[in-house]
Amino acid sequence: MVERLADYTQEDLDAFTIPAEITAADAVHLASAFLDQLAGRPDAQAVRFALLFELRGDRELRAMLTADAPVRGNLIEAARGVLQAIGVSEPAVHAPDLVGLIDALLMYRTSEAAPIESQRVLGAYLSGLH
């Protein structure tokens, strides 16, 4: 199951191309479109988030859904590419945070926790890095 969830995310990531240079506004739209793509598989996301909570006592299995997820390195690299393209200094330092922010927005959306304006949140985060 964990591998299939990672495969879904990798398929979604493969659908995006990051230009060498983009504006911060373009980066917000790109990140938001990726979030929309991920949210387009609500059942898969619900399973992933449910497993995160269910497995919180099992470090090994939980790691496969978080830090050691097969797709995590590719997500961080894509985030680094976006941050580099908009001229953020030390993009590799900030890339894991961008991945975490998108994941948090995805959990909010998937769980219908509360209304949230993803583009505004992403824009505020990215503008804070400049």
Side-chain angles (χ1 to χ4, degrees):
M1 175 54 86
V2 172
E3 288 177 10
R4 186 64 204 138
L5 293 170
D7 289 345
Y8 284 147
T9 303
Q10 186 62 55
E11 290 169 14
D12 293 336
L13 184 59
D14 289 344
F16 286 87
T17 303
I18 302 165
E21 287 188 33
I22 56 176
T23 66
D26 294 335
V28 168
H29 291 293
L30 186 65
S32 183
F34 182 61
L35 176 59
D36 292 344
Q37 185 77 20
L38 292 170
R41 299 180 197 267
D43 292 339
Q45 299 305 334
V47 166
R48 180 175 161 261
F49 291 125
L51 284 171
L52 282 173
F53 288 106
E54 182 68 26
L55 298 173
R56 66 183 177 264
D58 187 328
R59 289 179 183 242
E60 185 178 328
L61 286 176
R62 193 170 198 286
M64 293 297 294
L65 292 164
T66 57
D68 295 339
V71 72
R72 182 155 175 86
N74 294 339
L75 289 168
I76 290 172
E77 181 57 27
R80 188 204 57 75
V82 168
L83 296 174
Q84 182 174 328
I86 63 171
V88 169
S89 60
E90 299 187 273
V93 171
H94 300 290
D97 297 334
L98 179 55
V99 170
L101 176 59
I102 291 170
D103 203 32
L105 291 168
L106 179 61
M107 183 165 57
Y108 236 68
R109 184 182 295 181
T110 302
S111 67
E112 299 178 1
I116 191 163
E117 176 47 55
S118 300
Q119 286 192 0
R120 186 174 60 233
V121 173
L122 290 163
Y125 174 74
L126 293 175
S127 68
L129 293 179
H130 275 128

